[in-house]
């Protein structure tokens, strides 16, 4: 390494005036007059710019004044003259980091760590720099080196916790944050990240505890407000959730997630008009958000605005064609609008994708029955009954279809089972009574006819058969 004394002697012989400026600048700096010290230093002759001591002093003053670009110029020249000086490499990394040049900062922090592997500062700088570049595993390696050198170094511990959090090791990060809070109960970064972790883990009590503390020390904390909004949703306190979502929107009016969450809160609170407005605001800012289109369609559906609901559902399907629940809702709306053929086709498509969907089989069978396509309707309701044996409506419809297909024994069995499960509709009783009559079981037929009369079903054929 270069001998500073020899360098100083040579410089003094060439031009000693820069040393006088350096001395006066040092005195001004000790008095807290950093800017005046820099002005004094820069009165030196151009030859001073080749002196390591002068460059080191200038870069230090510039960094204190947050003039990092000029500080980096001096530091680069310094490390050319003193390539083994690790503090200069570290400070150059700091300047590059402050100037937003992450890769260059990491390069110099790495050089400082290589030159002085037993100092914690370069490893912390390297680890944090790598974190910003998204190189989480490498960052964790560097930060663990820093923690090993100085277990009490707050920046190293925080950086390690963040790296663990980003790697999905939430509990390990949680433990470090908790330990840091023992020493500093109001450490904002730890409280913020603990709130985020608690929300991600759906830990309501912890989220409330950390978010409350965070908002006490930082009332405008977005993480704190988000944490309390999560708590309000979890506790079904939708008025509070609405208030918190609106507070978040005051801070970030163009955030589509906040508009969407406000829509959810309003929808769950029963204010469908407000929910629709919130979802529409979310769509303006993120037209590709499928969930938002689905929720808006649901709200329009609940409000009876069928055409708007269909349009929103179809937009959701354009974005994500495999949304089977959305296709089912579209088919229901088409039924409601009288577009029965299109609805039937859509139910059939759904059942090709998900053959065990009992409700879709029921709707398909109902539409087939409406147009008297009995055999396909029989098959559809048979699938319903096989999937949900206690579904009375499906059994009744299947029994009626079997009766119309002149399969009396099967029809009787199906309707009798429906009657065992729960009281069946009068239409099913009529069909079963007629089947008993046709099979010669007059006693059971008479009992059902009398039951029908008690229900007020005084149709001529029922009166005749009873007589």
């Amino acid at each position: 390494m270069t001998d500073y004394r020899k360098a100083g002697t040579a410089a003094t012989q060439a031009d000693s005036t820069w040393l006088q400026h350096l001395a006066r600048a040092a005195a001004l700096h000790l008095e807290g007059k950093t800017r005046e010290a820099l002005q004094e230093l820069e009165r030196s002759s151009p030859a001073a710019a080749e002196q390591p001591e002068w460059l080191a002093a200038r870069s230090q003053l510039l960094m204190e004044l947050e003039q990092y670009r000029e500080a980096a110029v001096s530091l680069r020249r310094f490390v050319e003259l003193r390539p083994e000086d690790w503090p200069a490499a570290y400070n150059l990394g700091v300047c590059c980091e402050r100037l937003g040049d992450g890769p260059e900062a990491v390069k110099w922090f790495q050089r400082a760590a290589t030159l002085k592997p037993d100092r914690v500062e370069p490893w912390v700088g390297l680890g944090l720099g790598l974190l910003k570049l998204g190189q989480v595993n490498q960052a964790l390696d560097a930060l663990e080196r820093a923690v090993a050198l100085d277990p009490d170094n707050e920046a190293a511990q925080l950086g390690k916790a963040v790296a663990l959090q980003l790697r999905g090791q939430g509990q390990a990060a949680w433990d470090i944050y908790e330990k840091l809070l023992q020493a500093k109960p109001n450490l904002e970064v730890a409280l913020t990240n603990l709130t985020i972790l608690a929300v991600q883990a759906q830990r309501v009590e912890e989220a409330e505890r950390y978010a409350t503390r965070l908002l006490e020390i930082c009332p405008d904390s977005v993480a704190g407000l988000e944490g309390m909004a999560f708590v309000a949703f979890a506790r079904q306190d939708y008025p509070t959730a609405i208030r918190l979502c609106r507070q978040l929107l005051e801070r970030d009016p163009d955030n589509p997630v906040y508009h969407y969450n406000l829509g959810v809160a309003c929808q769950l609170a029963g204010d469908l008009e407000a929910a629709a407005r919130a979802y529409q605001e979310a769509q303006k800012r993120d037209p590709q958000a499928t969930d938002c289109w689905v929720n808006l369609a649901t709200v329009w559906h609940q409000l009876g605005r069928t055409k708007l609901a269909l349009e929103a559902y179809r937009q959701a399907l354009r974005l994500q064609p495999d949304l089977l629940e959305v296709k089912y809702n579209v088919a229901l709306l088409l039924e409601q609008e009288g577009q029965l053929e299109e609805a039937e086709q859509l139910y059939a498509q759904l059942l090709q994708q998900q053959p065990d969907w009992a409700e879709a089989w029921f709707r398909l069978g109902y539409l087939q029955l409406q147009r008297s396509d009995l055999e396909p309707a029989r098959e559809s309701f048979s699938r319903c009954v096989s999937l949900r044996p206690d579904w009375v409506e499906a059994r009744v419809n299947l029994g009626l279809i079997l009766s119309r297909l002149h399969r009396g024994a099967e029809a009787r069995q199906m309707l009798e089972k429906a009657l065992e499960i729960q009281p069946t509709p009068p239409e099913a009783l009529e069909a079963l009574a007629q089947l008993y009559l046709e099979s010669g079981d007059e006693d059971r037929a008479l009992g059902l006819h009398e039951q029908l009369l008690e229900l007020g079903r005084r149709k001529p054929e029922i009166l005749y058969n009873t007589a």
Side-chain angles (χ1 to χ4, degrees):
M1 183 175 286
T2 305
D3 188 326
Y4 280 58
R5 291 171 298 175
K6 292 180 180 178
T9 301
T12 303
Q13 293 170 353
D15 180 3
S16 62
T17 60
W18 71 270
L19 286 170
Q20 299 170 12
H21 291 295
L22 179 61
R24 286 194 290 269
L28 288 167
H29 186 232
L30 288 173
E31 295 174 12
K33 300 177 180 179
T34 306
R35 194 171 301 279
E36 292 85 344
L38 178 63
Q39 291 170 350
E40 177 62 36
L41 195 64
E42 291 187 336
R43 291 192 183 98
S44 304
S45 66
E50 295 301 314
Q51 303 303 322
E53 294 84 352
W54 186 90
L55 290 166
R58 182 174 185 268
S59 63
Q60 180 182 346
L61 294 171
L62 287 165
M63 287 182 72
E64 289 182 17
L65 293 169
E66 298 184 1
Q67 297 180 31
Y68 298 109
R69 195 171 302 282
E70 281 300 310
V73 172
S74 290
L75 285 166
R76 287 183 190 280
R77 181 56 185 148
F78 182 92
V79 295
E80 287 176 5
L81 297 170
R82 300 280 174 82
E84 301 302 313
D85 191 287
W86 77 266
Y90 173 78
N91 286 338
L92 187 49
V94 172
C95 289
C96 293
E97 187 269 331
R98 298 295 172 85
L99 292 169
D101 191 345
E104 189 71 3
V106 163
K107 182 183 86 172
W108 288 106
F109 286 137
Q110 181 68 70
R111 179 166 172 177
T114 302
L115 290 169
K116 195 69 172 175
D118 59 345
R119 288 299 297 246
V120 70
E121 298 92 333
W123 292 111
V124 173
L126 178 60
L128 297 179
L130 288 166
L131 269 182
K132 290 181 179 178
L133 295 179
Q135 300 176 34
V136 178
N137 291 333
Q138 299 93 317
L140 185 57
D141 290 341
L143 290 162
E144 284 180 336
R145 289 285 297 269
V147 170
L149 288 168
D150 183 2
D152 296 325
N153 187 288
E154 182 182 300
Q157 290 283 9
L158 268 177
K160 180 180 176 181
V162 171
L164 290 167
Q165 186 174 349
L166 292 172
R167 287 217 318 186
Q169 296 173 250
Q171 189 57 55
W174 185 297
D175 294 340
I176 295 174
Y177 292 135
E178 283 275 22
K179 186 176 180 181
L180 288 166
L181 285 178
Q182 291 174 9
K184 283 191 175 181
N186 292 333
L187 187 59
E188 185 179 341
V189 176
L191 287 170
T192 297
N193 289 349
L194 279 168
T195 302
I196 292 168
L197 284 170
V199 170
Q200 290 173 343
Q202 303 289 295
R203 294 164 68 167
V204 179
E205 300 298 328
E206 288 91 338
E208 182 177 33
R209 182 167 72 252
Y210 294 125
T212 300
R213 286 171 60 187
L214 184 56
L215 290 170
E216 286 172 357
I217 64 171
C218 185
D220 290 330
S221 168
V222 170
L225 291 171
E226 289 179 347
M228 293 307 294
F230 159 75
V231 172
F233 274 110
R235 292 181 175 159
Q236 300 182 10
D237 182 1
Y238 302 122
T240 299
I242 290 170
R243 175 178 59 79
L244 289 164
C245 288
R246 286 179 173 151
Q247 282 183 255
L248 286 164
L249 281 168
E250 289 173 5
R251 288 154 179 76
D252 188 358
D254 290 322
N255 190 314
V257 174
Y258 295 160
H259 284 287
Y260 174 81
N261 288 342
L262 176 59
V264 172
C266 291
Q267 185 177 356
L268 292 171
D271 190 347
L272 300 182
E273 295 287 355
R277 290 193 295 271
Y279 289 138
Q280 287 174 306
E281 290 298 322
Q283 285 169 1
K284 289 178 187 176
R285 293 157 177 82
D286 186 6
Q288 305 302 308
T290 306
D291 288 347
C292 193
W293 286 106
V294 172
N295 284 15
L296 178 60
T298 303
V299 168
W300 289 141
H301 197 165
Q302 291 173 310
L303 288 169
R305 300 177 191 175
T306 308
K307 287 184 171 55
L308 288 172
L310 272 172
E311 181 183 339
Y313 277 136
R314 283 173 168 154
Q315 179 59 29
L317 288 173
R318 280 191 283 271
L319 293 169
Q320 195 170 333
D322 60 344
L323 295 172
L324 300 187
E325 289 285 351
V326 171
K327 286 185 180 179
Y328 181 77
N329 288 340
V330 170
L332 289 176
L333 284 172
L334 291 170
E335 269 196 78
Q336 187 177 326
E337 289 290 286
Q339 301 177 46
L340 303 184
E341 184 178 351
E342 190 177 351
E344 186 175 334
Q345 291 172 354
L346 197 49
Y347 287 131
Q349 291 174 16
L350 282 173
L351 289 166
Q352 288 177 355
Q353 295 175 274
Q354 192 165 323
D356 59 350
W357 197 336
E359 289 81 2
W361 281 115
F362 188 97
R363 299 312 312 165
L364 178 60
Y366 178 79
L367 292 176
Q368 291 164 336
L369 183 57
Q370 290 292 98
R371 54 185 181 79
S372 298
D373 197 354
L374 298 182
E375 189 54 42
R378 183 200 64 77
E379 172 61 25
S380 294
F381 284 113
S382 294
R383 295 294 292 270
C384 278
V385 171
S386 67
L387 290 165
R388 287 177 52 182
D390 292 336
W391 195 350
V392 172
E393 292 83 358
R395 284 188 173 276
V396 168
N397 285 341
L398 181 53
L400 294 173
I401 291 168
L402 289 168
S403 176
R404 290 174 64 179
L405 289 170
H406 307 292
R407 295 165 64 167
E410 294 175 68
R412 283 197 306 275
Q413 183 182 8
M414 191 60 59
L415 293 170
E416 286 169 352
K417 181 62 178 176
L419 194 59
E420 288 176 13
I421 297 170
Q422 69 181 51
T424 54
E427 294 83 358
L429 290 175
E430 281 186 47
L432 187 55
Q434 184 63 35
L435 288 168
Y436 285 146
L437 192 61
E438 291 172 1
S439 66
D441 192 344
E442 289 87 356
D443 290 339
R444 296 174 79 176
L446 177 59
L448 287 179
H449 277 83
E450 289 174 340
Q451 188 176 340
L452 287 164
L453 291 174
E454 290 174 4
L455 293 171
R457 305 284 285 189
R458 306 185 69 82
K459 295 163 64 176
E461 57 269 26
I462 294 175
L463 291 169
Y464 176 81
N465 289 339
T466 303

